[in-house]
Amino acid sequence: MDFDQILAKCGDFNRYQFMILALFGFINIIVSMHYFTQTVISFVPDHWCYHEKLVNLTYKEIADIYSQFENPSCTRLEDINGHNATVSKEKCERWIYNYDFGYRSMNTELNWVCDSAYKARIGQSLFFIGSVVGTLFYGLLSDKIGRVPALILSNFCGFAGDFSTIFTKSVGTFTLCRFISGLAADTNFYLMYIIVLEYIRPSMRTLGLNMAVGLFYCLGLVFTPWLAVLAGHWQIYLACTSLPILLVVLYYFAVQESAQWLVTRNDIDGAIVRLKRVAKFNGCRVTQADFDEFRRHCQMTREMQGGDDKKHATLLDMFRTPRMRKNTLILFFKSMVITLCYDAVSRNVEGMGISPFIMFSLSALAVLPSSILLVLLQDKIGRKGMASGSLLVGGLFTAAAGIAIAYQQHSHNAILLACLTIAARFGVAISYESGSQYATELIPTCVRGQGVAAVHVAGFAASFLAPYILWLGTFFKAAPSIILGVLFFAGSFVCLLLPETLNRSLPTTIEEGEVFGKGERMFDFPCLHNKHDDEESDSELEKYKRKHSLIDAKQMESSSNGKRKQSLIEADREEQALKDAKH
């Protein structure tokens, strides 16, 4: 009796599963606020260099005076006579801000604008560096101490980083706090994702997980900017978003440790204890005989795999063979493009001719429909078609937004830009959600944990460039959209070079990963050919598995015979030793 069978007896879509889905939803709300905290506290409203003659004027009158200059936000005026003004050679040191909804951001309070705008970007970059380090560290830690403790420690690190940011006043302390906050990024989400995935019926995983992400993550994103408006000040906002993270500590008492992880640690008793708790919570009666059968299955599987003496595959083995190496590098590049574009598109809400609060919420609304569409189409179009198509759509609308900005430098059509940005966000949200599942299925089971972690690290490493791409918009407003559009198109193309995983036997070893999808063409999609074609395209892997299963069976039989012979020899020796002792 394997894990899925014993889980079905304990309840694989019952009260416990609904509870952890709800807890996963809370994690999504927290993660959405934590990830975009840097964006919200860095919102920069319309601003102009301070002059005593501007104090009693309306914001529209101030904007009219500065409209005659090329860089109105950073131009210091020496004298003002009506609408006529002369420019001062000195740099601006004080500004007049037209606060959106009365919200005072960190950038406005510390005057990190114009020549000092780079300071906030440095902190944002350190956040992504922290996420790379944190993903590696907490990923390894979760394999040592368990998923639940690592999840709690990761979220506590996010709380410490965000809460300590409240007291920063200098670039040095700000970047340190953002680095600490970044250590939690991604692991504070995907560790809970893994736990939920393992305790839910396989047929309900796509629906349950994607709908939980789509609904609660979208809810968190839409609510985030308006929480800042309600708070009115960036420090109060940080306190409101960081303190709820401490509630994750209570997960230790509600969420069961990953039973599958305990089995891999040879703690079968611990796995059975967790499964019994799940069964009790669900009100399911499971006999001891069922658990004993599950124990025998785990022990037999471990013996067949060579026990503790078998050499385990590592991440480096993914680069050992040519096709596996090609697929791994494409997954890395795809993750870098998707994560970079997702982050940049999500944060690119300023300079659109509309309030960044409204723009942020409108673009966030694309997350829920993207999850629904993913559930409806991914099992029909296929992983490859969904990934490539969503990136292509995102690229088209992002490039269109860049062209629109370039041709409307002085008078932006806010509605047009908002529609294009939301459409781009829709495309990249689909590719972002489907990307993790595609990588998980394509990477062989023996290195799946390490491989998925490495793919995530590559994506976060690329996100380091996101604030600088957006910063280019200060020189040419269309630059970020054009650059992101090119990256979208490149990612869409390389996805076509990957093999399809829908309705295929997935690889479990590096050798199977090498032959997986062999002979498949670039434009082979499940929706364009029949089931017979799927069987033919999978024949290489199936032949490989049949061949090696026979070899393994012979080796096991030979090994078993060898063990029996050795036991007989040892018994003869013991009997002879007893005879010698009597004599």
Side-chain angles (χ1 to χ4, degrees):
M1 181 180 295
D2 61 18
F3 182 80
D4 287 338
Q5 291 171 327
I6 189 67
L7 181 62
K9 289 180 175 291
C10 297
D12 53 8
F13 202 66
N14 209 315
R15 290 195 295 262
Y16 179 75
Q17 283 70 31
F18 296 147
M19 182 193 71
I20 59 175
L21 277 172
L23 294 176
F24 181 52
F26 179 69
I27 287 286
N28 274 275
I29 294 175
I30 287 177
V31 168
S32 65
M33 292 191 293
H34 171 262
Y35 189 76
F36 290 103
T37 288
Q38 177 71 36
T39 302
V40 176
I41 66 173
S42 302
F43 278 160
V44 178
D46 292 334
H47 56 286
W48 307 271
C49 197
Y50 176 82
H51 194 283
E52 59 272 11
K53 292 186 178 181
L54 300 175
V55 174
N56 296 322
L57 299 181
T58 64
Y59 291 122
K60 186 179 184 307
E61 291 172 335
I62 296 174
D64 290 338
I65 293 173
Y66 274 99
S67 63
Q68 57 188 306
F69 302 106
E70 184 178 354
N71 190 10
S73 297
C74 305
T75 301
R76 184 168 182 172
L77 301 180
E78 185 171 349
D79 186 38
I80 301 175
N81 185 12
H83 285 280
N84 298 321
T86 56
V87 178
S88 173
K89 294 181 179 180
E90 296 181 8
K91 289 186 177 180
C92 192
E93 298 177 353
R94 187 178 174 187
W95 286 265
I96 299 173
Y97 295 101
N98 182 13
Y99 297 106
D100 280 317
F101 298 99
Y103 172 69
R104 296 174 180 268
S105 68
M106 180 195 66
N107 284 37
T108 60
E109 184 170 294
L110 301 179
N111 287 324
W112 284 359
V113 294
C114 295
D115 292 340
S116 297
Y118 72 93
K119 295 179 181 179
R121 306 296 186 190
I122 293 175
Q124 198 164 331
S125 297
L126 264 292
F127 179 90
F128 293 124
I129 293 177
S131 67
V132 172
V133 177
T135 300
L136 292 173
F137 174 73
Y138 286 112
L140 293 172
L141 190 66
S142 68
D143 284 337
K144 295 292 183 182
I145 67 173
R147 314 298 192 210
V148 175
L151 172 71
I152 294 171
L153 290 174
S154 173
N155 277 279
F156 184 80
C157 193
F159 159 77
D162 283 353
F163 195 76
S164 59
T165 303
I166 295 173
F167 308 100
T168 59
K169 296 294 181 182
S170 65
V171 179
T173 55
F174 174 71
T175 53
L176 175 62
C177 292
R178 299 321 297 160
F179 175 81
I180 295 173
S181 178
L183 291 172
D186 204 38
T187 50
N188 58 355
F189 167 81
Y190 84 75
L191 288 178
M192 188 64 184
Y193 183 96
I194 292 173
I195 293 172
V196 176
L197 181 142
E198 291 178 349
Y199 277 112
I200 287 186
R201 183 188 309 161
S203 61
M204 299 302 296
R205 287 171 183 169
T206 299
L207 175 63
L209 288 168
N210 283 293
M211 289 309 298
V213 172
L215 181 61
F216 290 100
Y217 195 76
C218 177
L219 180 64
L221 288 179
V222 172
F223 181 65
T224 291
W226 304 111
L227 176 61
V229 172
L230 289 174
H233 193 276
W234 68 278
Q235 291 174 315
I236 300 175
Y237 164 76
L238 276 177
C240 293
T241 57
S242 58
L243 288 174
I245 300 177
L246 293 176
L247 294 175
V248 178
V249 175
L250 300 177
Y251 281 36
Y252 183 82
F253 305 100
V255 179
Q256 300 302 317
E257 182 55 79
S258 167
Q260 289 191 8
W261 172 79
L262 290 169
V263 171
T264 64
R265 306 296 294 180
N266 202 27
D267 186 7
I268 302 174
D269 290 334
I272 291 175
V273 168
R274 270 66 177 188
L275 288 169
K276 285 182 177 179
R277 291 175 183 172
V278 172
K280 183 178 180 180
F281 192 93
N282 286 333
C284 298
R285 300 184 63 182
V286 185
T287 64
Q288 185 59 40
D290 291 327
F291 288 116
D292 291 339
E293 187 177 348
F294 172 67
R295 185 194 303 277
R296 287 192 295 271
H297 169 79
C298 295
Q299 292 172 341
M300 187 182 301
T301 302
R302 189 170 183 82
E303 290 175 2
M304 291 176 63
Q305 292 176 347
D308 296 328
D309 298 329
K310 184 178 179 180
K311 181 182 177 183
H312 296 287
T314 64
L315 181 66
L316 295 178
D317 292 325
M318 295 174 65
F319 297 91
R320 185 162 46 85
T321 54
R323 294 192 72 255
M324 194 70 218
R325 181 168 55 247
K326 182 199 75 172
N327 291 342
T328 302
L329 292 175
I330 291 175
L331 285 175
F332 276 31
F333 179 75
K334 180 175 76 73
S335 177
M336 293 169 70
V337 169
I338 291 175
T339 309
L340 173 59
C341 291
Y342 181 85
D343 188 81
V345 169
S346 301
R347 298 178 191 274
N348 191 22
V349 294
E350 298 183 64
M352 298 285 182
I354 190 173
S355 169
F357 294 94
I358 298 175
M359 192 65 237
F360 191 94
S361 294
L362 288 176
S363 62
L365 290 174
V367 174
L368 181 57
S370 67
S371 297
I372 296 174
L373 190 67
L374 189 67
V375 171
L376 295 175
L377 297 182
Q378 182 161 254
D379 289 343
K380 297 179 180 179
I381 297 177
R383 314 298 191 240
K384 179 168 70 172
M386 203 70 183
S388 179
S390 59
L391 285 171
L392 179 62
V393 170
L396 289 172
F397 285 107
T398 303
I403 295 171
I405 293 173
Y407 276 93
Q408 301 175 7
Q409 294 186 15
H410 300 292
S411 58
H412 293 160
N413 187 327
I415 297 178
L416 174 62
L417 292 180
C419 292
L420 293 174
T421 302
I422 293 170
R425 177 73 178 270
F426 178 76
V428 74
I430 294 175
S431 58
Y432 190 83
E433 290 184 44
S434 65
S436 295
Q437 185 173 351
Y438 198 6
T440 302
E441 293 177 345
L442 197 56
I443 295 174
T445 305
C446 61
V447 289
R448 186 162 291 160
Q450 303 171 61
V452 171
V455 168
H456 278 267
V457 167
F460 276 109
S463 296
F464 177 84
L465 300 173
Y468 298 103
I469 291 176
L470 297 180
W471 181 61
L472 293 176
T474 58
F475 304 101
F476 179 53
K477 287 189 178 295
S481 297
I482 294 174
I483 293 173
L484 293 175
V486 173
L487 290 174
F488 269 118
F489 293 140
S492 176
F493 172 75
V494 298
C495 283
L496 296 174
L497 303 178
L498 290 172
E500 179 58 62
T501 60
L502 179 64
N503 298 327
R504 307 283 172 85
S505 292
L506 301 180
T508 57
T509 65
I510 295 294
E511 291 75 14
E512 292 176 5
E514 176 65 17
V515 300
F516 182 78
K518 193 173 183 180
E520 183 178 321
R521 292 166 296 185
M522 181 182 293
F523 295 101
D524 280 346
F525 301 115
C527 57
L528 299 181
H529 47 78
N530 55 39
K531 185 177 179 181
H532 178 69
D533 295 329
D534 286 336
E535 293 173 353
E536 287 185 349
S537 64
D538 205 29
S539 61
E540 290 292 333
L541 180 57
E542 290 301 322
K543 289 177 182 177
Y544 180 90
K545 284 187 174 183
R546 284 196 296 270
K547 175 183 175 182
H548 284 269
S549 63
L550 291 173
I551 294 174
D552 290 341
K554 291 179 180 178
Q555 288 178 345
M556 286 180 62
E557 183 179 357
S558 176
S559 176
S560 178
N561 291 334
K563 288 180 179 178
R564 284 197 294 270
K565 290 179 181 179
Q566 184 66 27
S567 298
L568 290 172
I569 292 171
E570 290 178 357
D572 290 339
R573 286 177 179 173
E574 290 178 1
E575 185 178 355
Q576 185 63 40
L578 289 172
K579 289 180 180 178
D580 293 341
K582 290 179 180 180
H583 290 299

